[in-house]
């Protein structure tokens, strides 16, 4: 069983699939690459949205374009950008991955500050959610080693984009997480079928199948 934990396959809601046809092409590619189910995680920026409810309405309208004809099961979620006060936004818990207590958060691309960890903790504690930190490997280019240690102390699941296996340093970082028994899940973070296309062939060549299977079990572990 392979679950893609991070995709932008929903049509017309963010910078991912631009329309229904593109969405279906992406889903078909994912299926051909051996993926069994995907989690649709459109970007959620609190400063751009009038409310969580408004976002959920847009997401549902987008999902309805493909859900009856999708070649793969599509679960809904969101990629929530961490910003000041995000933990206080009404209804935030509704952005958790469908049927689970998992919620995907994106760290800001800036110098690490204490408030970031405070927001992560508040979301987890206030709503009883298990945080997944999106594409954690990207931040080794933004954060110092000490700052990365602070992030990795977080009681979270760490999501890796398959692209990390193209880089020696990032692949080593991922292997280190696994060696430390950190909970790790994987995603294509696909946005289209060209420069940001599904890339599961890459990770299946370079990653132990048992690790991929264990990652998919995390979804089951946090089912409601």
């Amino acid at each position: 069983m392979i679950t893609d934990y991070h995709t932008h396959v929903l049509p017309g809601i963010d910078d991912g699939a631009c329309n229904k046809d593109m969405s279906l092409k992406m889903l078909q590619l994912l299926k051909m690459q051996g993926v069994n189910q995907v989690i649709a995680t459109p970007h959620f920026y609190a400063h751009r949205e009038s409310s969580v409810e408004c976002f959920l309405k847009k997401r549902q309208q987008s999902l309805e374009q493909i859900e009856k004809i999708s070649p793969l099961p599509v679960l809904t979620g969101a990629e929530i950008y961490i910003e000041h006060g995000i933990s206080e936004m009404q209804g935030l818990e509704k952005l958790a991955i469908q049927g689970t207590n998992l919620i995907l958060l994106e760290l800001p691309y800036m110098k690490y500050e204490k408030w970031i960890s405070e927001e992560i903790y508040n979301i987890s504690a206030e709503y009883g959610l298990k945080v997944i930190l999106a594409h954690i490997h990207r931040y080794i280019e933004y954060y110092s080693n000490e700052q990365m240690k602070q992030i990795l102390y977080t009681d979270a699941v760490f999501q890796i984009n398959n692209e990390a296996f193209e880089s020696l340093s990032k692949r080593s970082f991922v292997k280190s997480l696994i060696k430390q028994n950190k909970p790790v899940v994987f995603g294509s973070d696909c946005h289209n079928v060209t420069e940001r296309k599904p890339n599961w062939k890459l990770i299946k060549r370079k990653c132990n199948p048992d690790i991929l299977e264990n990652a998919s079990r995390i979804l089951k572990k946090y089912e409601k």
Side-chain angles (χ1 to χ4, degrees):
M1 174 67 131
I2 292 180
T3 300
D4 192 327
Y5 280 82
H6 187 163
T7 73
H8 295 271
V9 296
L10 292 185
I13 191 171
D14 63 3
D15 61 342
C18 56
N19 54 42
K20 181 176 73 173
D21 288 343
M22 174 68 75
S23 178
L24 293 174
K25 287 177 183 177
M26 292 165 70
L27 288 162
Q28 190 60 48
L29 273 175
L30 287 161
K31 183 178 181 179
M32 289 171 62
Q33 292 175 9
V35 174
N36 303 104
Q37 63 181 352
V38 305
I39 302 170
T41 53
H43 290 289
F44 179 89
Y45 299 102
H47 63 277
R48 295 182 187 175
E49 300 291 339
S50 55
S51 67
V52 170
E53 293 297 335
C54 236
F55 175 84
L56 291 175
K57 185 177 179 180
K58 289 189 295 185
R59 190 183 70 183
Q60 183 60 27
Q61 290 171 343
S62 179
L63 176 65
E64 286 174 358
Q65 295 183 50
I66 62 164
E67 63 179 338
K68 292 183 180 179
I69 53 176
S70 172
L72 288 173
V74 178
L75 302 178
T76 51
E79 181 182 5
I80 303 157
Y81 188 74
I82 299 171
E83 48 191 294
H84 279 290
I86 186 69
S87 59
E88 299 174 10
M89 191 166 193
Q90 188 173 1
L92 193 72
E93 73 281 2
K94 296 177 182 177
L95 299 179
I97 295 171
Q98 182 180 343
T100 78
N101 291 315
L102 294 164
I103 191 163
L104 182 68
L105 305 181
E106 180 183 23
L107 292 160
Y109 293 96
M110 57 179 285
K111 182 180 177 182
Y112 172 81
E113 295 181 12
K114 186 179 178 182
W115 68 264
I116 297 172
S117 288
E118 290 173 348
E119 291 292 347
I120 294 169
Y121 174 80
N122 289 343
I123 289 172
S124 177
E126 292 292 327
Y127 301 108
L129 296 170
K130 185 70 172 182
V131 167
I132 302 176
L133 292 178
H135 39 60
I136 190 69
H137 57 92
R138 287 185 179 177
Y139 298 93
I140 62 178
E141 298 173 0
Y142 292 87
Y143 296 170
S144 68
N145 288 339
E146 188 57 39
Q147 290 168 345
M148 280 303 300
K149 284 181 182 179
Q150 289 180 296
I151 290 295
L152 295 176
Y153 284 142
T154 305
D155 182 21
V157 174
F158 299 100
Q159 185 259 312
I160 304 298
N161 282 6
N162 299 342
E163 71 202 29
F165 285 82
E166 292 179 318
S167 160
L168 181 59
S169 61
K170 290 178 181 176
R171 189 162 69 244
S172 297
F173 172 76
V174 176
K175 288 181 178 179
S176 174
L177 289 183
I178 293 168
K179 190 175 181 180
Q180 296 173 58
N181 292 316
K182 298 286 188 183
V184 173
V185 296
F186 301 94
S188 62
D189 196 5
C190 57
H191 282 62
N192 49 50
V193 293
T194 52
E195 70 277 1
R196 299 190 71 179
K197 61 188 176 183
N199 55 1
W200 279 91
K201 287 184 178 179
L202 168 66
I203 192 172
K204 287 170 76 177
R205 288 199 309 268
K206 297 182 179 285
C207 189
N208 188 311
D210 289 342
I211 294 172
L212 298 181
E213 187 70 30
N214 288 338
S216 285
R217 289 194 190 108
I218 287 178
L219 198 67
K220 185 78 173 174
K221 180 178 179 181
Y222 291 98
E223 280 184 350
K224 289 182 180 178

